[in-house]
Amino acid sequence: MSLFGTSSGFGTGGTGVFGSTTTDSHNPMKDVEVTSPPDDSISCLAFSPPTMPGNFLIGGSWANDVRCWEVQDNGQTVPKAQQMHTGPVLDACWSDDGSKVFTASCDKTAKMWDLNSNQAIQIAQHDGPIKAIHWIKAPNYSCIMTGSWDKTLKFWDTRSPNPMMSLQMPERCYCADVVYPMAVVATAERGLIVYQLENQPSEFRRIDSPLKHQHRCVAIFKDKQNKPTGFALGSIEGRVAIHYINPPNPAKDNFTFKCHRSNGTNTTTPQDIYAVNAIAFHPVHGTLATVGSDGRFSFWDKDARTKLKTSEQLDQPITACCFNQNGNIFAYASSYDWSKVCDNKSLQLLGQYSC
Amino acid sequence: MPVCNFFLQGRCRYGEKCWNEHPRGGNRGGGGGGGGGYNNYSNRSSGQQQPRSGGFGNRVWVNPSQQKGNYIQPSSFSSHGSDDWGHGGGGGGGGGGRRENVKSSDFSFSSQNRFSALNTPSTFDRGGRGGGGGGRAAGGTVGDEDDDKKLEVIQMDMDVWEKSGQWGFSCYYSFQTLVSGFTDLSPEELRLEYYSTRASGDLQGYMNAINQLLSQWKTRIQELKIMNPATRAALLAELNGAAPQGSSGGFGSTTATGFGASISSFGSKGFGAPAPAQASGFSFSASNSGFGSAATQSSSTGFGNILAAPTQPPSGFSAASSSAPSASSFSFASSTTDKSAPASGFGSASGFSFSSTAGSGFGVGAPATTGSSGPFGQTSGGFGAAAAQPTSGTGSAEGTSDSLFSPESKLTEEELSQFKAKKFTLGQIPLKPPPSNLLVV
């Protein structure tokens, strides 16, 4: 994992980490590497919310653990704590007060980790691996939302073993995002559902996906009044769709753009197309970052519809990313995302690999 | 008053103020007509964008040099020779019916006759196609060219998909339909599967399964790229919303191909209304019959419909009844009500719980009856862990009747009340099919 610190904004080339003399594809951006990274691929990253002083980063991994680091102002990281599941951890999130971390795993459970006491208890159970977990803080309730491959979306009060509510989805949940009062879930088979969370969660609309292929990641963005107004949806086909919920002019306001492809504008040779693994929005500027299987991350301005910056290529795909609460720090995780399975040669290597 | 030639071409600078006649209806497609004078120059040009979106391009609509004494000149791009219908009828395909409203009394042919020329295929200009999707103008003959374009687009997409090294286990959607024969599997699901089989030590089974999936994907891509007549017909049927006939799509063989892994991770379970015998699932277990989706009966087309129009008869699904409680599988049997809106049933086992308990896989197409409520053709990804004896073949536990209707006992109270109500309440539409006794004709 690496951290990328800037003083302000993006696209200004502020820190000048570019242009190293030696090409180090492991960390070509010369960003700060986190100490004691997990032993297997990192599935998710999340920074602590503004209610807590300091920056704490949690990362879940395929090594069944979720780790917490403190990120100091000089960029150095200090490992703080770790919790285990019995299966790979797929998603993690913070509570709004920053005292608890919720983790979701392939072992079909979700746990609540109290950082002060370093205890974790199970708070949710599904019939299939839980792919997405988010904390919802509404004026009249707070709960955890979990989306699973068992095609259900469940809402849990952490004190009770039974879900407060269980909503059926058309297909397995592949990714979700929550910004109160809106939640978006993208499922397999191009399913896309928006939920409204006021009073109690209910399905708001099913949207015909603007993308042609499998959904991979989704992130909600807000308008100038800080209200959620739309989302960015990434697919395995190197494309991100920006979709507004109630735009004045849908045909013009919603658009898709291609990203994480090789070959730029050269149309003679076929492009290599990579999946977009994660999308994150800058909390202050509203610009978005995408990370892909090609091992690069890019920053974009969706209003000006321009690309701000693309990083150098890392040797591994980038699997997760997030901004800290004031947007000063961008963290991204470099690890294998299983994307080479479709390539026969790599598949053979996989067969020879034994654990 | 003489007719304004510039107006007919769509570029009169004076607009309403013009001293020449602007026949109404003659040139809507040419762009808004402007407001008047020079001020609206930019206005007009932007107004032109819209009507021209139908692939009109920059063609001059009417050819002023061919004055025949009426105001509708044969359009310059029209492919017919002697036909009088010069009103750019072909262009109507792209832009919609607007251009057919020829109101000016100066026309030489009566309005009843307006479309007679459209009966001949030669009338249609290919250029007007442009926007893909369905600009269907008056004639049925438009269909062929539309379809050609669609197929071309699909072929190109397949080409790009194959060459780009993109993730192969993804659904593919084009022209308002989910094209059958593609399964949706996320890298995490496959990875989890790998980790579980690694724990049990049998990697070969996993490799075989992945190779199987890969080869199926490649076959399907090749099919769509090469587009032999059978594939083409099936594909067109899908695109046009009908239930595709048992095609060669995707997963081919209905014969059992066992995978030989001892852990039945990818359980399979066929299901589907009719002819269960042919459904074969995809499973890793040695005992099970392997992959295959028999016919691509109403495929995921229905799925698209389901998503888009939740008020359609909900595709019912009942969690695989035969599987153990922790099963994550799911079969999506639904009743196809009519051809135009096939809510396809297809089964998919969700999730991948690989523990050796329970599970049930997912089924893939039970084909056989044409146009019926046969479910789907694609093995939608998602596999439930099948137990050591995965329910092979079709809807074993669910008989034919179960997939169309659910017995009342299986419905929750809310669902029952929804079915009993006069109308569905949005947000509470049951996802299971109704019990047969509640159906009132």
Side-chain angles (χ1 to χ4, degrees):
Chain A
M1 289 196 341
S2 314
L3 292 182
F4 173 59
T6 58
S7 50
S8 65
F10 288 96
T12 57
T15 55
V17 288
F18 257 26
S20 59
T21 46
T22 57
T23 43
D24 166 22
S25 61
H26 174 70
N27 183 6
M29 301 297 289
K30 295 272 179 276
D31 294 323
V32 178
E33 265 195 62
V34 169
T35 55
S36 323
D39 299 321
D40 204 342
S41 297
I42 294 123
S43 56
C44 56
L45 289 176
F47 266 107
S48 53
T51 42
M52 234 168 86
N55 288 310
F56 290 82
L57 177 66
I58 47 163
S61 83
W62 281 78
N64 301 2
D65 64 358
V66 55
R67 301 186 180 200
C68 177
W69 295 264
E70 177 181 3
V71 181
Q72 293 162 342
D73 294 334
N74 58 359
Q76 296 308 311
T77 53
V78 178
K80 286 287 187 190
Q82 158 176 333
Q83 281 291 332
M84 302 292 296
H85 268 266
T86 49
V89 174
L90 292 182
D91 198 11
C93 71
W94 290 81
S95 64
D96 62 307
D97 59 359
S99 60
K100 317 248 187 314
V101 169
F102 300 94
T103 57
S105 158
C106 291
D107 61 9
K108 313 183 200 174
T109 67
K111 292 193 179 177
M112 173 169 81
W113 178 15
D114 183 329
L115 292 168
N116 296 326
S117 61
N118 203 11
Q119 298 292 323
I121 56 172
Q122 177 178 338
I123 50 153
Q125 177 75 47
H126 268 267
D127 296 327
I130 305 182
K131 182 67 171 64
I133 187 166
H134 290 87
W135 171 252
I136 299 178
K137 176 99 175 93
N140 55 332
Y141 70 95
S142 343
C143 67
I144 277 289
M145 176 179 98
T146 52
S148 157
W149 288 344
D150 68 357
K151 309 193 191 181
T152 61
L153 193 65
K154 296 194 181 181
F155 298 83
W156 308 82
D157 177 334
T158 55
R159 298 162 294 202
S160 155
N162 292 321
M164 285 163 44
M165 177 182 284
S166 172
L167 292 176
Q168 196 63 47
M169 294 189 293
E171 257 288 353
R172 301 151 278 160
C173 169
Y174 276 171
C175 50
D177 194 15
V178 169
V179 172
Y180 185 80
M182 178 167 126
V184 174
V185 177
T187 70
E189 306 291 338
R190 287 176 70 254
L192 193 50
I193 314 173
V194 178
Y195 296 86
Q196 69 86 20
L197 303 171
E198 284 185 53
N199 270 328
Q200 64 168 16
S202 62
E203 202 178 291
F204 173 70
R205 192 188 295 172
R206 294 205 175 180
I207 298 184
D208 199 19
S209 166
L211 298 174
K212 281 182 169 178
H213 284 92
Q214 183 184 111
H215 297 154
R216 187 106 176 94
C217 50
V218 70
I220 294 178
F221 56 80
K222 302 190 270 197
D223 59 14
K224 304 267 187 323
Q225 288 82 33
N226 234 12
K227 302 238 171 312
T229 179
F231 55 88
L233 179 67
S235 78
I236 49 114
E237 187 227 351
R239 196 181 288 265
V240 171
I242 300 286
H243 191 95
Y244 289 82
I245 299 293
N246 278 323
N249 189 349
K252 288 184 27 186
D253 293 338
N254 298 337
F255 65 98
T256 70
F257 62 91
K258 296 193 264 203
C259 50
H260 299 291
R261 296 176 176 214
S262 64
N263 280 346
T265 49
N266 178 4
T267 47
T268 51
T269 53
Q271 277 186 326
D272 293 325
I273 297 182
Y274 297 92
V276 181
N277 283 333
I279 302 179
F281 277 90
H282 191 280
V284 174
H285 300 291
T287 47
L288 74 144
T290 61
V291 295
S293 275
D294 54 350
R296 294 179 196 264
F297 60 85
S298 299
F299 299 120
W300 312 78
D301 181 338
K302 68 174 196 329
D303 301 312
R305 303 198 184 183
T306 55
K307 184 191 314 198
L308 298 171
K309 169 176 176 162
T310 301
S311 72
E312 295 295 312
Q313 182 162 24
L314 276 73
D315 56 352
Q316 299 241 46
I318 306 187
T319 48
C321 70
C322 75
F323 287 97
N324 77 333
Q325 38 107 347
N326 58 8
N328 284 349
I329 311 181
F330 176 66
Y332 57 96
S334 166
S335 45
Y336 183 49
D337 62 351
W338 222 249
S339 51
K340 285 277 170 252
V341 164
C342 287
D343 175 1
N344 262 328
K345 275 201 308 205
S346 315
L347 196 54
Q348 279 150 27
L349 290 176
L350 178 68
Q352 293 156 18
Y353 166 75
S354 60
C355 196
Chain B
M1 260 167 48
V3 166
C4 175
N5 273 331
F6 293 105
F7 177 73
L8 291 174
Q9 293 174 34
R11 49 193 187 98
C12 176
R13 295 192 301 193
Y14 301 99
E16 298 291 317
K17 295 199 278 186
C18 183
W19 295 342
N20 298 321
E21 167 150 358
H22 289 180
R24 289 285 148 233
N27 207 1
R28 297 286 167 196
Y38 296 91
N39 301 338
N40 288 334
Y41 225 88
S42 55
N43 216 0
R44 186 180 343 126
S45 50
S46 62
Q48 276 171 357
Q49 302 297 338
Q50 266 185 322
R52 293 212 171 154
S53 63
F56 227 134
N58 287 327
R59 290 190 192 86
V60 173
W61 236 47
V62 285
N63 190 345
S65 65
Q66 287 186 11
Q67 298 250 355
K68 281 191 193 171
N70 60 8
Y71 298 121
I72 297 305
Q73 322 291 349
S75 56
S76 57
F77 50 74
S78 148
S79 55
H80 56 263
S82 59
D83 205 317
D84 261 345
W85 179 248
H87 188 40
R98 208 174 22 212
R99 291 172 191 78
E100 293 151 351
N101 294 336
V102 175
K103 292 200 179 66
S104 172
S105 55
D106 288 320
F107 290 174
S108 60
F109 34 81
S110 70
S111 54
Q112 278 85 13
N113 239 352
R114 217 162 51 204
F115 296 107
S116 61
L118 293 180
N119 292 335
T120 58
S122 61
T123 322
F124 281 89
D125 110 60
R126 288 163 196 277
R129 253 344 114 224
R136 303 226 187 279
T141 49
V142 182
D144 293 338
E145 297 171 11
D146 246 348
D147 287 343
D148 275 340
K149 294 263 158 155
K150 288 188 191 178
L151 294 180
E152 267 177 45
V153 169
I154 292 186
Q155 279 174 304
M156 280 184 27
D157 276 350
M158 292 296 120
D159 195 38
V160 168
W161 193 351
E162 197 183 17
K163 297 206 171 108
S164 61
Q166 198 178 315
W167 182 253
F169 303 128
S170 155
C171 52
Y172 170 66
Y173 178 86
S174 202
F175 302 113
Q176 285 94 46
T177 39
L178 266 177
V179 177
S180 68
F182 291 107
T183 94
D184 215 9
L185 288 174
S186 71
E188 286 78 30
E189 287 168 307
L190 288 185
R191 185 177 194 156
L192 183 62
E193 175 61 11
Y194 171 78
Y195 278 39
S196 320
T197 49
R198 184 177 64 181
S200 77
D202 180 20
L203 283 183
Q204 198 50 46
Y206 177 75
M207 301 294 305
N208 291 342
I210 299 283
N211 277 325
Q212 180 96 355
L213 280 173
L214 265 181
S215 62
Q216 265 151 7
W217 169 63
K218 290 198 173 138
T219 322
R220 181 62 173 150
I221 286 214
Q222 282 307 320
E223 267 178 23
L224 288 174
K225 259 177 38 165
I226 296 175
M227 198 66 77
N228 62 38
T231 327
R232 187 197 165 91
L235 189 59
L236 284 178
E238 273 180 53
L239 292 179
N240 296 332
Q245 311 308 313
S247 82
S248 49
F251 298 20
S253 73
T254 56
T255 58
T257 32
F259 282 162
S262 52
I263 291 189
S264 47
S265 338
F266 291 83
S268 75
K269 177 175 168 205
F271 59 53
Q278 283 182 345
S280 44
F282 162 46
S283 93
F284 270 66
S285 83
S287 60
N288 202 2
S289 63
F291 232 97
S293 73
T296 55
Q297 209 50 19
S298 58
S299 74
S300 42
T301 322
F303 191 85
N305 290 347
I306 293 169
L307 280 188
T311 50
Q312 274 184 9
S315 50
F317 48 69
S318 45
S321 41
S322 57
S323 53
S326 66
S328 48
S329 75
F330 219 85
S331 60
F332 226 85
S334 81
S335 46
T336 315
T337 48
D338 54 78
K339 263 188 118 194
S340 60
S344 62
F346 40 78
S348 57
S350 62
F352 264 80
S353 51
F354 293 113
S355 62
S356 45
T357 57
S360 36
F362 63 40
V364 164
T369 61
T370 54
S372 76
S373 56
F376 47 115
Q378 55 175 343
T379 42
S380 20
F383 314 101
Q389 39 288 336
T391 57
S392 64
T394 61
S396 38
E398 346 194 89
T400 322
S401 55
D402 283 351
S403 54
L404 282 180
F405 307 109
S406 20
E408 283 199 5
S409 50
K410 283 206 196 149
L411 293 175
T412 67
E413 292 235 346
E414 296 103 44
E415 287 170 330
L416 260 184
S417 64
Q418 282 290 309
F419 283 129
K420 289 192 179 147
K422 285 204 172 198
K423 291 184 4 173
F424 285 134
T425 355
L426 212 51
Q428 286 167 24
I429 300 174
L431 291 160
K432 300 189 186 130
S436 47
N437 51 325
L438 277 186
L439 289 180
V440 176
V441 175

